[in-house]
Amino acid sequence: FFSSRRRHTRYIGDWSSDVCSSDLEFRNGLATIHGYGRLLDPAQMPPAYRPYVEGIRLETDQLGRIVTNFLMFARPEQLSFGPVQLFEVVRRSVEDVRRETPDVEIRVDGTFRHARTRLGLGSNVHVLAVESPFDYPAQALMVVPRDLPDPGAPSSAGVLHDILVGIGAAMGGRTLVLFTSYVSLRGAHAALSEALPHLVVLGQGIDGPRGVLLERFRATPNAILLGTASFWEGIDVTGDALSCLVILKIPFTVPSDPVFAARSELLADPFGELAVPQAVVRMRQGFGRLIRSTTDRGVVVVLDSRLVTRRYGQIFFDSLPPATRQVCAAREVVPIVDAWWKGSQPTSPRVG
């Protein structure tokens, strides 16, 4: 690979969002990039320009090798790309058109600033936040332990597995656990299956495809569903089948993600301007899986102490629905969940 891959990723992302309407076009377009470089002949250039032309040829040759690997080893469904900036795409889509675009998940810290910036929306675009009809303080409890190991610590997995086992036992199933990696999901699946043989543990990528897992989860009262990626949004399970939601980790985008890295290069504060807002939006989407009607009630447990130990944690608290919130010691999580689920809601919830 070459050192300027992020720069090339940015160019390809911008170009593909404008030109490509299919995977075939994307493949052909990538192959064409290599051809452009070979058309440049340094011998026909003035001497002062020849080093630059040689540099362009070198970079297109390197990119061509990557394209060749794509075409040889990647199936169309494995190719993915995304625009770095959405400004022009959105402007072309909404130009001279009046549209209503409802989305309950895009506010960050109570405002639409992040969405306006990402979409390039000017002051002539009006936004309206309509409050939820749900009574979150009465319908939902949010529990965050303050003293968990850092997510990267060697002891983290064992501590989290113990808490998940306790929650699963207290709830008798009825739990959705959201992960940010398949490695963590598989480890939890093994631990829960061994410790709770009387419950049904369903794991994405282990026990079937997404649709099948959702149907089994809805039909099985004593089930624990473990999901990542697509399970953070777009699923609807009402009633007691889903009464506890566990978010294992703040869903920050991996910094090495090519599109994320390319977007970060354009910002003065990539973490504050991009990483945190994206994670907040994803967290709101995950939170939204729990309360789907005015009669639903349940518990959200966030097993990431950074929500209370890092300064940016308050942005998450201010952006999530106003459920009853309790910050506690890790050893108190399971008793609190058990008591709330049985109707003994904490009498003096505390935040912070």
Side-chain angles (χ1 to χ4, degrees):
F1 218 71
F2 48 89
S3 61
S4 56
R5 65 186 183 278
R6 287 188 292 182
R7 175 159 49 87
H8 284 286
T9 301
R10 179 166 70 249
Y11 294 157
I12 293 173
D14 289 339
W15 165 76
S16 64
S17 67
D18 290 339
V19 177
C20 299
S21 59
S22 69
D23 289 317
L24 179 60
E25 288 185 16
F26 183 51
R27 284 167 169 264
N28 292 339
L30 284 172
T32 302
I33 292 175
H34 184 217
Y36 287 156
R38 304 310 301 173
L39 291 176
L40 299 173
D41 185 359
Q44 298 180 5
M45 298 290 174
Y49 292 100
R50 288 174 187 171
Y52 301 104
V53 174
E54 288 289 357
I56 293 173
R57 285 171 60 94
L58 176 62
E59 295 237 344
T60 54
D61 282 346
Q62 291 171 322
L63 182 59
R65 286 193 289 271
I66 296 173
V67 172
T68 300
N69 289 335
F70 267 154
L71 300 178
M72 288 178 61
F73 301 113
R75 298 190 300 273
E77 62 271 17
Q78 293 177 315
L79 297 177
S80 61
F81 50 85
V84 174
Q85 293 182 335
L86 302 176
F87 300 167
E88 295 304 322
V89 177
V90 173
R91 287 196 184 106
R92 286 198 300 269
S93 299
V94 301
E95 186 176 7
D96 298 327
V97 178
R98 293 183 178 272
R99 292 188 178 181
E100 296 179 3
T101 308
D103 192 327
V104 298
E105 312 293 357
I106 63 175
R107 278 187 293 172
V108 176
D109 203 12
T111 76
F112 291 96
R113 186 182 305 111
H114 172 67
R116 281 186 177 276
T117 300
R118 286 282 296 118
L119 299 176
L121 301 179
S123 58
N124 60 319
V125 177
H126 300 285
V127 295
L128 172 66
V130 179
E131 296 305 320
S132 170
F134 304 142
D135 183 2
Y136 280 108
Q139 290 183 252
L141 170 69
M142 180 179 177
V143 181
V144 184
R146 69 170 74 87
D147 55 352
L148 287 173
D150 185 85
S155 61
S156 177
V159 173
L160 297 182
H161 291 168
D162 289 344
I163 295 176
L164 289 177
V165 168
I167 291 174
M171 297 296 300
R174 303 183 181 88
T175 300
L176 169 64
V177 187
L178 294 176
F179 295 80
T180 58
S181 78
Y182 283 102
V183 173
S184 297
L185 187 153
R186 287 192 288 268
H189 186 280
L192 289 167
S193 298
E194 180 180 357
L196 302 172
H198 59 292
L199 300 181
V200 178
V201 181
L202 304 172
Q204 183 181 5
I206 300 174
D207 299 298
R210 181 176 185 269
V212 172
L213 292 180
L214 280 173
E215 288 305 313
R216 289 184 63 188
F217 183 66
R218 291 188 182 102
T220 310
N222 63 333
I224 301 174
L225 177 58
L226 313 180
T228 185
S230 60
F231 277 87
W232 283 78
E233 56 183 297
I235 68 171
D236 192 355
V237 181
T238 59
D240 287 350
L242 174 54
S243 298
C244 181
L245 171 71
V246 181
I247 296 176
L248 211 70
K249 185 179 177 182
I250 297 174
F252 286 120
T253 303
V254 178
S256 59
D257 176 83
V259 175
F260 179 86
R263 289 172 178 167
S264 296
E265 289 181 346
L266 306 177
L267 302 173
D269 177 17
F271 184 75
E273 296 178 55
L274 185 61
V276 169
Q278 281 188 347
V280 167
V281 171
R282 198 65 183 272
M283 187 85 90
R284 285 175 58 90
Q285 291 171 333
F287 195 110
R289 300 315 96 209
L290 182 67
I291 304 299
R292 309 297 294 174
S293 74
T294 55
T295 59
D296 286 345
R297 65 189 297 268
V299 186
V300 177
V301 181
V302 182
L303 295 178
D304 192 330
S305 293
R306 291 177 296 177
L307 273 187
V308 292
T309 62
R310 299 290 194 274
R311 185 177 302 175
Y312 58 74
Q314 192 59 46
I315 298 176
F316 286 86
F317 278 122
D318 293 341
S319 302
L320 294 172
T324 297
R325 295 169 184 169
Q326 185 153 4
V327 176
C328 62
R331 57 181 171 76
E332 297 176 300
V333 170
V334 174
I336 289 172
V337 170
D338 186 42
W340 198 89
W341 174 241
K342 292 177 179 176
S344 302
Q345 190 169 336
T347 56
S348 56
R350 55 190 184 277
V351 179

